[in-house]
């Protein structure tokens, strides 16, 4: 990752939005939102997204996006599960990679993360790792509730010191996927504050932070999509986190919902249309609006310079 993206966020008290994509249309929508708000942005992809797009296609998409994008953009591997997947992501052009060893024993997580850091740093690529485990299902992530646990601040300090990671994803109450919470989301800001004290110079990352707006859920239900019970993290919690050491906030589920709303609304209004460019354009506009709102919420607007 371009170091200044998260270092500047840490220094100036805001968070950079990191949004997942698995096709060109979603990436263009993310970039449009960053240019609209004059925000730095992180475009990230999972292992399955890389496979879906195709490595050679993705290489050229990244090259073109860097040429076209008018604000700082970084490409990032989300939830890499092995050194091999990290190598593949670096080969396609990622500026940063995440190795997710959060379900491994602590010492094993340290050992493999250190090997990833050594490999990536030799190539000028930054590394994010995870300590603590978020429950939920999303893309390549599937963690049962019983196996989730909060990040231990003392372990976090030891982990960063022994691995040399550039940023650390922590578990303070967020969850992956659309069906995150039975009740209202609560974030453990007390844990975050303890980690901040022990790691004052390390940018922290929040995974599983999709908003899953209630109005969006209601709209999908109206359009015939059974997404009843979907809940996300409230905006006020994300805004508070972004003013602390949380320098990168991930989003994926709410982008999927936004795209689907746009597509289905267009089909509903134009049921004779078979031109995918028209319904995709409306879906892309929904993503751009969503991500722009997130950037304003995280405080990254007008931070592109």
């Amino acid at each position: 990752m371009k170091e200044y993206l998260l270092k500047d966020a840490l220094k100036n008290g805001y968070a950079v939005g990191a949004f997942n994509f698995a096709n060109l249309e979603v990436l263009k929508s993310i970039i449009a939102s960053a240019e609209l708000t004059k925000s730095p942005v992180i475009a990230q992809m999972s292992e399955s997204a890389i496979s879906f797009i195709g490595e050679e296609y993705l290489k050229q998409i990244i090259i073109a996006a860097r040429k076209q994008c008018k604000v700082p953009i970084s490409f990032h591997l989300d939830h890499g599960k092995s050194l091999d997947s990290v190598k593949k992501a670096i080969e396609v052009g990622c500026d940063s990679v995440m190795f997710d060893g959060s379900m491994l024993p602590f010492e094993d997580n340290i050992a493999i993360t250190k090997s990833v850091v050594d490999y990536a740093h030799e190539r000028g690529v930054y590394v994010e790792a995870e300590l603590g485990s978020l429950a939920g299902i999303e893309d390549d992530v599937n963690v049962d509730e019983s196996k989730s646990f909060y990040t231990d601040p003392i372990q976090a300090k030891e982990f960063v010191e022994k691995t040399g990671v550039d940023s650390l994803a922590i578990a303070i109450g967020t969850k992956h996927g659309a069906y995150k919470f039975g009740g209202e989301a609560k974030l453990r800001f007390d844990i975050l504050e303890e980690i901040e004290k022990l790691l004052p110079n390390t940018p922290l990352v929040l995974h599983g932070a999709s908003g899953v707006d209630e109005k969006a859920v209601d709209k999908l239900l109206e359009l015939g999509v059974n997404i009843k019970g979907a809940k996300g993290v409230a905006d006020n919690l994300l805004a508070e986190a972004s003013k602390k050491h949380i320098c990168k906030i991930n989003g994926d589920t709410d982008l999927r919902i936004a795209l689907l709303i746009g597509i289905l609304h267009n089909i509903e209004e134009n049921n004779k249309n078979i031109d995918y460019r028209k319904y995709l354009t409306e879906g892309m506009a929904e993503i751009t609006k969503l991500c722009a709102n997130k950037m304003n919420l995280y405080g990254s607007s007008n931070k592109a310079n």
Side-chain angles (χ1 to χ4, degrees):
M1 187 180 300
K2 295 174 181 176
E3 185 176 17
Y4 62 85
L5 289 188
L6 296 194
K7 291 295 185 181
D8 189 72
L10 180 63
K11 179 180 178 181
N12 292 296
Y14 67 92
V16 179
F19 305 104
N20 284 64
F21 73 96
N23 63 17
L24 179 60
E25 287 78 16
V26 173
L27 176 59
K28 288 174 68 177
S29 307
I30 292 167
I31 290 173
S33 68
E35 292 180 340
L36 182 66
T37 58
K38 298 181 175 61
S39 296
V41 67
I42 298 167
Q44 57 187 30
M45 65 224 81
S46 64
E47 293 177 356
S48 60
I50 293 174
S51 297
F52 180 80
I53 299 170
E55 292 175 43
E56 291 304 316
Y57 286 113
L58 183 56
K59 283 181 186 180
Q60 299 308 315
I61 287 171
I62 290 174
I63 290 169
R66 286 204 177 102
K67 288 180 179 178
Q68 294 292 320
C69 190
K70 299 179 178 64
V71 296
I73 184 170
S74 178
F75 286 90
H76 176 74
L77 171 67
D78 190 29
H79 289 286
K81 296 295 186 182
S82 66
L83 180 57
D84 284 343
S85 66
V86 164
K87 290 177 178 179
K88 183 183 296 184
I90 292 173
E91 175 63 26
V92 301
C94 284
D95 306 289
S96 67
V97 293
M98 179 209 179
F99 170 70
D100 181 2
S102 58
M103 296 303 294
L104 297 172
F106 182 62
E107 293 299 333
D108 291 347
N109 192 0
I110 287 176
I112 300 176
T113 301
K114 180 65 167 62
S115 67
V116 168
V117 168
D118 291 344
Y119 181 87
H121 281 185
E122 286 178 0
R123 290 154 180 82
V125 172
Y126 294 90
V127 179
E128 172 190 328
E130 183 171 342
L131 195 62
S133 184
L134 279 63
I137 300 172
E138 186 173 304
D139 229 15
D140 301 311
V141 179
N142 188 337
V143 179
D144 186 82
E145 186 78 38
S146 64
K147 295 182 180 179
S148 64
F149 54 93
Y150 292 119
T151 302
D152 179 273
I154 301 299
Q155 281 194 334
K157 184 175 187 293
E158 180 183 355
F159 184 86
V160 170
E161 289 175 348
K162 288 185 174 180
T163 62
V165 293
D166 302 287
S167 59
L168 183 68
I170 60 172
I172 58 171
T174 54
K175 296 182 182 181
H176 291 290
Y179 305 95
K180 299 173 184 291
F181 308 104
E184 295 301 313
K186 294 181 181 179
L187 299 188
R188 290 290 303 273
F189 286 109
D190 57 325
I191 295 176
L192 174 58
E193 289 168 4
E194 285 299 311
I195 297 172
E196 288 177 356
K197 291 175 186 176
L198 295 171
L199 294 170
N201 299 313
T202 301
L204 302 177
V205 179
L206 203 58
H207 285 233
S210 292
V212 192
D213 182 77
E214 289 182 12
K215 291 181 180 178
V217 171
D218 290 341
K219 183 62 178 176
L220 278 182
L221 289 169
E222 288 177 15
L223 293 168
V225 180
N226 185 10
I227 196 171
K228 189 175 181 179
K231 287 189 177 182
V233 183
D235 282 354
N236 66 303
L237 297 178
L238 297 177
E240 183 177 351
S242 66
K243 293 173 184 175
K244 298 180 181 293
H245 266 47
I246 298 296
C247 301
K248 174 176 175 276
I249 299 179
N250 287 14
D252 187 1
T253 299
D254 38 10
L255 275 73
R256 299 182 188 197
I257 290 173
L259 179 64
L260 190 54
I261 284 174
I263 290 172
L264 292 178
H265 179 263
N266 184 273
I267 291 171
E268 182 185 48
E269 296 294 312
N270 308 278
N271 60 14
K272 292 184 179 180
N273 170 54
I274 60 169
D275 186 345
Y276 57 78
R277 293 171 295 184
K278 293 181 179 178
Y279 56 73
L280 281 174
T281 296
E282 188 162 345
M284 291 167 70
E286 289 292 331
I287 291 178
T288 297
K289 180 170 66 175
L290 169 80
C291 292
N293 288 338
K294 294 291 186 184
M295 291 166 180
N296 289 328
L297 182 69
Y298 303 158
S300 67
S301 296
N302 298 310
K303 298 292 197 304
N305 294 324

